[in-house]
């Protein structure tokens, strides 16, 4: 028993000595801060079950990709896994509240009931993708807030996140990694 404690203590001392000696002669690591902020998290989406929404989804994805740098949305190749499943439904739009992580799973339902009531398809798609990226609703809110959703009225066609919304998504995916806070998995229904 004493011998095993002595060996363990000697091993720890040797490791500390080696680490100290190595650190004294180490070459400074390159500055990777710029690299880590430039590394975007790639999230794949599958819209194969969102027939009739293709143009709105493309425009919503383009809006997010043009306005945030830390995360990029790309269409998944057929037969490959996608973190964001987008489907067309007959109800109200709804989505899983993220931020979804690579390898994770979120669902976006693009409901035709909102379109029937006069809401803009592209705004709906961009808004629901915002939920997957970690943004909750900000209802009631003005048209300038993408996440105000249906509370901005049927005349609102803004599909661009405002500065606060962009900043929140940038923070959630800072450093090339998704936030350590897990997605809570709640489904947010965007009915008025």
């Amino acid at each position: 028993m004493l011998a095993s404690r002595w060996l363990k203590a000697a091993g720890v001392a040797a490791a500390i000595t080696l680490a100290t000696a190595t650190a004294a002669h180490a070459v400074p690591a390159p500055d990777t801060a710029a690299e880590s902020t430039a590394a975007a998290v790639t999230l794949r989406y599958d819209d194969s079950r969102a027939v009739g929404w293709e143009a709105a989804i493309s425009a919503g994805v383009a809006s997010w990709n043009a306005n945030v740098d830390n995360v990029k949305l790309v269409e998944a190749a057929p037969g490959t896994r996608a973190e964001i499943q987008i489907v067309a439904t007959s109800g109200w739009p709804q989505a899983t509240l993220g931020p979804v992580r690579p390898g994770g799973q979120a669902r976006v339902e693009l409901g035709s009931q909102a379109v029937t009531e006069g809401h803009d398809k592209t705004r709906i798609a961009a808004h629901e993708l915002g939920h997957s990226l970690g943004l909750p609703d900000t209802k009631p809110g003005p048209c300038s807030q993408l996440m105000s959703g249906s509370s901005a009225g049927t005349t609102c066609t803004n599909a661009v996140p405002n500065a606060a919304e962009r900043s929140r998504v940038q923070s959630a995916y800072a450093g090339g990694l998704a936030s350590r806070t897990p997605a809570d998995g709640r489904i947010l229904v965007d009915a008025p």
Side-chain angles (χ1 to χ4, degrees):
M1 188 79 137
L2 270 179
S4 72
R5 283 188 185 162
W6 182 86
L7 285 173
K8 188 174 183 179
V12 169
I16 291 171
T17 303
L18 180 59
T20 304
T22 303
H25 299 321
V27 176
D31 180 16
T32 57
E35 290 175 26
S36 66
T37 58
V41 172
T42 299
L43 297 175
R44 289 168 179 70
Y45 67 90
D46 175 2
D47 64 354
S48 62
R49 295 184 294 155
V51 176
W53 286 85
E54 297 87 354
I57 293 166
S58 291
V61 165
S63 178
W64 278 109
N65 285 344
N67 285 284
V68 294
D69 297 323
N70 290 347
V71 63
K72 290 297 171 203
L73 301 171
V74 298
E75 189 169 4
T80 63
R81 189 177 189 296
E83 286 85 7
I84 303 172
Q85 297 292 321
I86 305 174
V87 298
T89 68
S90 60
W92 272 93
Q94 57 186 321
T96 307
L97 180 59
V100 67
R101 299 177 182 168
Q105 190 70 48
R107 182 177 170 94
V108 167
E109 294 185 11
L110 301 175
S112 62
Q113 187 173 351
V115 177
T116 301
E117 293 196 14
H119 293 280
D120 182 71
K121 278 183 149 183
T122 300
R123 179 171 168 84
I124 292 168
H127 174 92
E128 298 306 325
L129 287 168
H131 287 320
S132 295
L133 298 175
L135 298 177
D137 286 316
T138 55
K139 294 179 179 180
C143 183
S144 60
Q145 292 176 344
L146 176 59
M147 300 314 293
S148 67
S150 61
S151 72
T154 56
T155 59
C156 179
T157 60
N158 173 40
V160 178
N162 69 18
E165 293 162 336
R166 291 189 304 267
S167 177
R168 190 159 178 185
V169 170
Q170 289 285 96
S171 293
Y173 293 93
L177 299 172
S179 166
R180 292 199 194 313
T181 305
D184 73 9
R186 284 186 298 158
I187 304 297
L188 301 179
V189 179
D190 288 305

